[in-house]
Amino acid sequence: MVDFAQLATFQAVIGTGSFEAAARELHVTPSAVSQRIKALERSVGQVLVRRAKPCVATPAGEALVRFAGQVALLEREALAEARDGTRVSIVVNADSLHTWFLPALKAVPGPTYELHTDDEFHTADLLRSGTAMAAVTADKEVVQGCRIERLGVMRYLACGQAGASTAVLYNRKDRLQHAFVGDLSEMHYIPSASAYIEAIRIGLGWGMVQEWIAREDIAAGHYVDLHPGRYLDVPLYWQYWKIGSEVLDELTAAVKTAAAPYLRS
């Protein structure tokens, strides 16, 4: 049986990145933190913390990070009526956050939200590490301890001024342009969803633009569809912790409703 004081200490070490910072957060001594971690590792029979700067969970510890977060979420929900609510940590790709995702949060009042952004092909990594409780992701492989719901397909068009040759990418994880044309020789990296679109509008380069934004901008004359009839479809999924959480269940329904008008079925 898991000792919840040890579990909370483990979560604090991974969350803060060090035994000393965890001790300050928990108002105990670093020695007490070390003893609790060693006791937890003995009970599990695995090394759970890689002692580095910062401390990180080992592969065996990642499942326990998720479990610790799930326990904390259920505890916060149980106390929410008497205290200030619960916090839900979510990772979402920038395009979804920029367009349809925020109304889903508004539809579920009560919790506070901590949002992380990452490329849609990498968002599930934060679920695996226990950093996020839910994710909008292009990864259809179900993360252990999670449920998955298909949201739909986000369609992208290759857009820019006629003759544009330099590609605009969100960051170095962004591979949509590569998937569309293959190798790229010249690239700008612009890690802001709104600035990314603006860069294409003013002619800084070409890039993959969500269909519903592209149609409006093309009609307004901001740029053209560089390859009419061609597009790139990216299936999106909602993965979330498989626990009896009323908040996550309500949020799942809200996410599916918010995504429906923007994603192809």
Side-chain angles (χ1 to χ4, degrees):
M1 189 173 185
V2 176
D3 182 299
F4 288 102
Q6 295 171 4
L7 188 64
T9 302
F10 170 72
Q11 186 182 34
V13 169
I14 300 304
T16 63
S18 75
F19 282 50
E20 292 76 13
R24 290 193 294 271
E25 181 176 288
L26 298 172
H27 305 291
V28 298
T29 65
S31 176
V33 170
S34 180
Q35 290 172 14
R36 291 178 186 178
I37 296 300
K38 289 178 181 178
L40 183 61
E41 289 176 329
R42 282 196 301 271
S43 66
V44 174
Q46 297 277 355
V47 175
L48 303 173
V49 178
R50 184 175 293 117
R51 276 72 165 172
K53 293 184 178 180
C55 291
V56 295
T58 64
E62 288 182 355
L64 206 59
V65 173
R66 290 194 297 273
F67 177 65
Q70 291 166 0
V71 169
L73 174 61
L74 292 174
E75 181 182 26
R76 288 195 297 270
E77 284 191 358
L79 298 173
E81 292 184 3
R83 295 170 64 176
D84 61 348
T86 187
R87 176 173 294 173
V88 179
S89 176
I90 306 167
V91 57
V92 58
N93 62 310
D95 287 337
S96 295
L97 182 60
H98 182 55
T99 52
W100 61 265
F101 188 76
L102 288 178
L105 304 186
K106 185 179 179 182
V108 186
T112 56
Y113 295 101
E114 180 179 2
L115 298 185
H116 307 268
T117 58
D118 207 341
D119 182 84
E120 58 267 23
F121 290 95
H122 297 269
T123 47
D125 293 342
L126 273 70
L127 272 181
R128 294 187 179 93
S129 69
T131 302
M133 304 169 185
V136 176
T137 178
D139 190 347
K140 63 180 180 181
E141 180 180 347
V142 183
V143 174
Q144 184 178 6
C146 293
R147 291 191 176 94
I148 189 168
E149 303 270 357
R150 190 177 190 275
L151 296 176
V153 171
M154 183 171 282
R155 176 164 292 182
Y156 291 88
L157 306 180
C159 297
Q161 305 295 335
S165 58
T166 302
V168 180
L169 282 70
Y170 185 79
N171 58 28
R172 294 182 184 274
K173 292 181 179 178
D174 183 1
R175 305 295 294 178
L176 292 183
Q177 286 77 359
H178 295 80
F180 191 77
V181 301
D183 293 336
L184 300 173
S185 57
E186 297 180 348
M187 292 159 282
H188 300 300
Y189 295 100
I190 302 180
S192 161
S194 57
Y196 173 95
I197 297 297
E198 184 63 19
I200 297 170
R201 286 173 179 162
I202 67 173
L204 190 61
W206 72 274
M208 305 304 295
V209 181
Q210 297 167 75
E211 179 183 33
W212 77 275
I213 294 178
R215 298 296 186 199
E216 291 183 358
D217 279 356
I218 291 169
H222 294 309
Y223 46 67
V224 298
D225 183 348
L226 296 173
H227 298 273
R230 288 185 61 197
Y231 51 82
L232 187 65
D233 281 349
V234 178
L236 292 180
Y237 303 87
W238 173 249
Q239 291 210 45
Y240 60 103
W241 285 354
K242 186 168 59 178
I243 56 176
S245 167
E246 182 178 344
V247 167
L248 287 181
D249 289 343
E250 290 180 3
L251 185 59
T252 295
V255 165
K256 293 168 69 175
T257 298
Y262 295 88
L263 304 182
R264 289 174 172 261
S265 58

